[in-house]
Amino acid sequence: MERSHRKTAALAGLALLLVLAGCAQVTVHSEVKATGEVAELTYQINMSRTTYGYLEESAEAEGYDSVKESMLADFNESEREDIEVTEEFNGDQVTLTMTREDFVPDGNSSINVTTADGKLTYEDTTFVNETAASIDDSDDFSDSLSGGFTVDYYLTMPGEITNSNADTVDGNTAEWHESGSEAFTDNRIYAVSKKPTIGSVPGFEAVGAVIALLVATLLLARRE
């Protein structure tokens, strides 16, 4: 199995493990550049100390010294340089945060960004899990396990979003909010945006004005 596929399975497996362990809230922030590069991707997972204990046991069973080590296991050394994992303990609550900056999705992992016909298409299948979907959640016990699991996903595209399956879209931003079993079985993130031209990039007009002023000043100096 390729490394990128293992990373996809690891994230989906983590979501499933959190559901089976108990309540957990996952918040994702993703920002995409006009080049198709992901400027910043942040996963923040809030859970109880009990749930975190299950993650520790799972990490140790797989031969890792910590939850952090298990989360980074399928990234190579160069990738880890752009990834930060932090753990914050506050009473009975634990917050795990993983942030990755400035990377180009390789097309084989859960996140994929493609460019065609002047548009950027973003897709994240981290929370599409066929294994989890096959679990019978019709009984009260399964419902109680998955009921405390939520996913809030926030995406910022470089241009206006023209097509998406998001719950809400506002200009170049989109939001997905799912809870229960749907949050980790068929929660596909999908959005298409216009690809900005150089002149439409925010702040470019101001830069252009400064350049024009410099050129005018040089021409004036020549005349004098």
Side-chain angles (χ1 to χ4, degrees):
M1 182 181 293
E2 294 181 3
R3 178 178 294 273
S4 56
H5 289 161
R6 293 202 304 271
K7 287 184 286 188
T8 301
L11 289 172
L14 175 61
L16 178 57
L17 181 59
L18 287 170
V19 171
L20 296 177
C23 297
Q25 294 78 45
V26 180
T27 303
V28 183
H29 290 272
S30 183
E31 182 180 350
V32 182
K33 297 181 180 180
T35 58
E37 183 180 28
V38 177
E40 184 172 302
L41 175 67
T42 300
Y43 290 91
Q44 186 178 74
I45 307 170
N46 295 304
M47 70 196 84
S48 67
R49 288 293 292 264
T50 301
T51 302
Y52 181 80
Y54 283 112
L55 293 183
E56 284 186 310
E57 291 179 5
S58 176
E60 291 176 2
E62 294 179 2
Y64 302 111
D65 294 331
S66 64
V67 174
K68 178 178 178 179
E69 183 180 331
S70 68
M71 293 177 69
L72 293 172
D74 289 315
F75 295 96
N76 60 43
E77 290 186 8
S78 61
E79 290 173 329
R80 293 184 188 186
E81 293 178 358
D82 298 320
I83 300 174
E84 180 181 10
V85 177
T86 61
E87 298 174 321
E88 181 179 345
F89 298 86
N90 184 13
D92 188 47
Q93 295 297 308
V94 180
T95 300
L96 274 176
T97 303
M98 182 173 76
T99 302
R100 187 177 184 186
E101 297 180 343
D102 298 325
F103 70 96
V104 179
D106 57 16
N108 293 317
S109 61
S110 59
I111 294 179
N112 192 21
V113 181
T114 56
T115 304
D117 301 324
K119 297 180 179 180
L120 280 173
T121 300
Y122 179 96
E123 184 176 18
D124 186 349
T125 57
T126 298
F127 301 100
V128 177
N129 192 313
E130 295 180 358
T131 301
S134 66
I135 296 176
D136 183 7
D137 61 355
S138 60
D139 56 67
D140 293 338
F141 178 69
S142 296
D143 288 341
S144 65
L145 285 178
S146 62
F149 187 78
T150 64
V151 174
D152 297 304
Y153 202 110
Y154 301 89
L155 173 66
T156 301
M157 296 291 281
E160 181 183 359
I161 294 175
T162 58
N163 186 21
S164 177
N165 64 349
D167 294 318
T168 60
V169 174
D170 183 11
N172 69 327
T173 62
E175 299 180 13
W176 291 259
H177 304 283
E178 295 289 349
S179 61
S181 61
E182 293 182 356
F184 65 95
T185 56
D186 192 22
N187 189 9
R188 175 173 172 260
I189 306 301
Y190 174 82
V192 179
S193 82
K194 297 178 180 178
K195 184 176 182 179
T197 58
I198 295 178
S200 66
V201 175
F204 182 82
E205 293 82 356
V207 174
V210 172
I211 293 176
L213 179 60
L214 288 174
V215 171
T217 300
L218 289 173
L219 289 176
L220 182 60
R222 278 188 172 186
R223 290 178 182 177
E224 292 179 352

